[in-house]
Amino acid sequence: MIEDVRHAIDGGESKTYTFTIPEDEEAGLHWYHNHVHGITAQSYLSSLFGAFIIEGTDSDITKSPGVEGATEVIMILSEGYVNEDKTVPPDGVPMFNAAEDWDAVVNGQLWSETKYEFNQGEAVLFRAISATSYPTISLAIPSSNVTFVVLAYDGLPTPEPEEVQVVDVEPGGRVDFLARFDAPGNYTMTRLAKPGPFPTITWDIEKVVATITVNPVDTDVPADPLIDGVELPEYSDNLKALAEIESVDTKTIALQMKIGFPLFQILKPQVEQV
């Protein structure tokens, strides 16, 4: 993490960050975003973020059996509120004025402009990032027989591939998952309804994330379940060694948050020595 909450880049300005990636760095899906205090919410609502992917090592899931060759789709999930004429409300944080009229945003585009096209039987590796603070984003394709296969959380492969109907992406988290569309037609990927903590926002409604068109093919479509044949890499020696280190001390830190100006206030943490 690179954190400098005092440094702001104004419109028309630029700053270049140079990273040196160690050869034994874990492969995986990560992301970056602006974190200047006081304007972070407005920045994420303006889609000032992006994916940061490390690949090419032994832990790279894209090179794994059953995954290699799949079509990669990066989805950075967020929210926004846009007027009917596609202008943005000028005052405050739009989401707090939007009630139930907020829009799902993917890669800086409104859901209505997020469209994917695949062929029947094509394996797709969705690489989902939650660029939001609340709530957990639950992705599904309702009224279909499409099953997801979860491969990695937060850049690290799961011990075993997991077959699910709903993929949960925690705030700030990342999930890599496979999907295959065995039947041609039109599909809709949605964010399922979630209860939220703020009375000014209605999270408890389902929102469309993207529309998907699957074209028919003349060739045979795979009949085996998608999860068959998927083999994920083991954790690296670095992570195995870290897991074997015995803890010498443990602390429990409880943070409390309340709504206040400008948005949230973090109360004094309670630290408990265990």
Side-chain angles (χ1 to χ4, degrees):
M1 175 184 290
I2 296 178
E3 181 91 18
D4 187 349
V5 299
R6 302 161 298 175
H7 182 75
I9 302 172
D10 206 350
E13 297 179 349
S14 66
K15 179 177 176 60
T16 300
Y17 290 92
T18 301
F19 299 93
T20 300
I21 308 296
E23 291 185 2
D24 61 350
E25 179 66 34
E26 308 293 330
L29 176 64
H30 309 277
W31 69 294
Y32 62 89
H33 67 101
N34 167 53
H35 211 294
V36 176
H37 283 190
I39 62 170
T40 302
Q42 287 85 352
S43 295
Y44 105 80
L45 289 166
S46 301
S47 298
L48 293 178
F49 41 64
F52 194 114
I53 301 175
I54 300 175
E55 54 189 11
T57 71
D58 292 339
S59 60
D60 188 349
I61 64 169
T62 66
K63 305 302 181 185
S64 301
V67 182
E68 187 172 15
T71 301
E72 287 190 48
V73 174
I74 298 173
M75 301 182 71
I76 309 180
L77 306 162
S78 60
E79 303 90 17
Y81 178 47
V82 180
N83 297 324
E84 291 185 2
D85 61 357
K86 293 195 174 182
T87 59
V88 177
D91 299 324
V93 178
M95 288 294 293
F96 279 80
N97 303 321
E100 64 183 37
D101 294 329
W102 59 275
D103 291 294
V105 176
V106 180
N107 299 341
Q109 291 186 319
L110 291 175
W111 67 269
S112 56
E113 300 173 0
T114 305
K115 302 175 182 180
Y116 302 115
E117 186 172 342
F118 308 117
N119 290 327
Q120 182 182 3
E122 181 177 356
V124 182
L125 173 60
F126 288 100
R127 316 199 74 176
I129 299 169
S130 173
T132 185
S133 58
Y134 197 94
T136 298
I137 295 176
S138 296
L139 297 175
I141 301 180
S143 304
S144 76
N145 60 352
V146 177
T147 300
F148 302 133
V149 178
V150 175
L151 308 175
Y153 289 105
D154 296 334
L156 295 176
T158 57
E160 298 289 339
E162 180 184 1
E163 200 170 39
V164 298
Q165 296 295 125
V166 177
V167 171
D168 289 327
V169 191
E170 301 295 339
R174 293 89 65 203
V175 181
D176 291 283
F177 61 96
L178 279 176
R180 189 179 69 203
F181 300 87
D182 294 332
N186 297 315
Y187 298 80
T188 301
M189 182 178 288
T190 65
R191 286 175 55 161
L192 299 181
K194 288 279 187 178
F198 308 118
T200 53
I201 303 175
T202 304
W203 297 105
D204 199 14
I205 50 178
E206 192 170 301
K207 290 287 187 176
V208 175
V209 170
T211 55
I212 299 170
T213 300
V214 178
N215 301 315
V217 296
D218 296 329
T219 56
D220 292 336
V221 175
D224 296 335
L226 180 60
I227 195 172
D228 289 0
V230 175
E231 298 179 16
L232 296 176
E234 295 183 352
Y235 287 144
S236 67
D237 292 339
N238 288 342
L239 290 179
K240 290 180 180 178
L242 183 64
E244 292 174 356
I245 297 176
E246 183 178 354
S247 298
V248 296
D249 196 7
T250 302
K251 289 183 179 180
T252 299
I253 302 177
L255 293 176
Q256 292 181 308
M257 183 173 68
K258 70 176 183 179
I259 299 175
F261 180 83
L263 288 180
F264 310 111
Q265 294 177 340
I266 303 297
L267 305 183
K268 183 178 180 181
Q270 303 296 317
V271 180
E272 178 183 350
Q273 192 82 24
V274 178

